[in-house]
Amino acid sequence: MPTHFTQADDGRPMLDLREAAKARLPDLSGLPPLTDRERALAARTWRGRMVNEHVSAQVFAGLVPQLMRAAAPSSVQALVPRMISDELRHAEQCAGVVMALGQDPVAPLPTLHPLPTHDDAPPLEALLRNVLSVCCLSETIAVSIIRAEQAELEDGALGEVLRSILADEINHARFGWQLLGSVADRLDADLKARLSSYLVDAFIHQIEHEVPRLPINLGLREELGQAGVCDGAMARQIFYATIEQVIVPQLQAAGLNAAAAWKQALSEANPSTDTLSH
């Protein structure tokens, strides 16, 4: 077991996946020629994915005590450790790409905010709030964006990396939708109304915290897309289309007033519209 924990000079923890990356190096010989600057941009993109996937493991870990408090079936609880393991593996896969691009898969670890416990709500309602936010919203959006990105990469090594990640993310989103579906018929009108009200905040969070992570890159060559650099403009379109065409209808079918919640969130949120030119 490794015993070395990497820290920055100021004591901040660093996510250091160099050792894990060595076992997950993809063959990038099929990539088109990239300038040093473009290769660095591609590595930055995959390093960002590496950090996000690592942090997602902590998010799923927060569901475990909530599932226990809500007396969820053990078969349901047992699925969450698998999802945690998936996210940690995804981080290592992205680290492998960073290393294959010639850079170190090392990055400052962001502040890890605990998953809200929603102590103002009974256990099942508290659990459903987080399942809605984490699985039905975040993971479903991730599935749509990753699927589009993977399609751009076709059959290359990076496409295979995203294909592997996508398969797990589909299961993570499905976990939330199946859990919601399993209890939807037993939720009374008051609880459905409270969850519908919570959706406003959940949608606002998605707009204000996830959209800024999809920067609109100007002047990118097509070759960078083949290196896995996200087309932020396309991703933002997919973000909104997924909520409006997939998430809202499914939440409505579960008895939640998601359409009204989404409309209110759009009127109250302040998304970033910054563009980044590289």
Side-chain angles (χ1 to χ4, degrees):
M1 177 183 293
T3 58
H4 178 69
F5 292 78
T6 305
Q7 292 187 327
D9 292 340
D10 60 3
R12 289 181 303 160
M14 301 288 289
L15 178 59
D16 185 346
L17 296 183
R18 284 176 291 188
E19 286 302 315
K22 293 176 183 178
R24 298 188 182 278
L25 289 173
D27 179 5
L28 301 186
S29 59
L31 276 185
L34 300 174
T35 66
D36 290 344
R37 184 183 181 192
E38 289 172 334
R39 188 170 286 270
L41 176 58
R44 189 181 78 173
T45 297
W46 285 94
R47 188 183 290 109
R49 289 189 177 114
M50 175 188 86
V51 173
N52 290 339
E53 296 290 341
H54 182 84
V55 171
S56 292
Q58 184 247 2
V59 173
F60 281 119
L63 288 178
V64 174
Q66 288 199 314
L67 284 161
M68 290 182 171
R69 283 195 293 271
S74 58
S75 59
V76 174
Q77 295 187 42
L79 295 174
V80 181
R82 298 182 199 173
M83 296 193 289
I84 296 170
S85 179
D86 290 342
E87 300 292 10
L88 294 174
R89 185 180 67 257
H90 297 169
E92 293 180 355
Q93 290 175 285
C94 294
V97 178
V98 174
M99 183 170 284
L101 287 166
Q103 297 206 5
D104 285 336
V106 180
L109 193 64
T111 301
L112 299 180
H113 300 286
L115 198 65
T117 56
H118 300 294
D119 294 329
D120 61 317
L124 177 59
E125 181 177 349
L127 170 65
L128 288 175
R129 288 183 188 180
N130 283 334
V131 166
L132 286 170
S133 179
V134 173
C135 299
C136 299
L137 272 63
S138 291
E139 292 294 306
T140 302
I141 293 167
V143 165
S144 294
I145 293 176
I146 294 173
R147 180 177 281 128
E149 292 175 338
Q150 191 272 327
E152 291 289 319
L153 295 176
E154 300 178 343
D155 297 325
L158 295 183
E160 183 57 38
V161 172
L162 284 185
R163 187 178 296 110
S164 172
I165 292 174
L166 175 61
D168 292 329
E169 302 292 8
I170 290 172
N171 287 332
H172 301 171
R174 184 177 292 137
F175 171 87
W177 290 111
Q178 290 181 340
L179 193 151
L180 176 63
S182 71
V183 300
D185 291 342
R186 294 183 280 122
L187 304 181
D188 61 36
D190 287 342
L191 178 49
K192 288 181 179 179
R194 293 196 300 273
L195 289 174
S196 299
S197 179
Y198 169 75
L199 280 174
V200 176
D201 290 334
F203 281 136
I204 290 175
H205 176 83
Q206 290 294 319
I207 296 171
E208 294 186 343
H209 294 273
E210 299 304 323
V211 170
R213 297 182 181 181
L214 307 171
I216 300 176
N217 301 297
L218 301 179
L220 294 182
R221 294 197 303 134
E222 180 180 347
E223 287 81 356
L224 270 172
Q226 297 177 49
V229 177
C230 177
D231 181 341
M234 177 190 73
R236 290 187 182 205
Q237 292 176 352
I238 293 172
F239 172 91
Y240 287 103
T242 299
I243 291 177
E244 293 169 358
Q245 300 173 23
V246 178
I247 294 174
V248 167
Q250 289 193 64
L251 292 176
Q252 289 283 143
L256 305 183
N257 194 355
W262 175 239
K263 182 177 180 180
Q264 183 177 341
L266 284 174
S267 69
E268 296 181 8
N270 295 302
S272 167
T273 56
D274 293 342
T275 60
L276 296 181
S277 179
H278 299 283

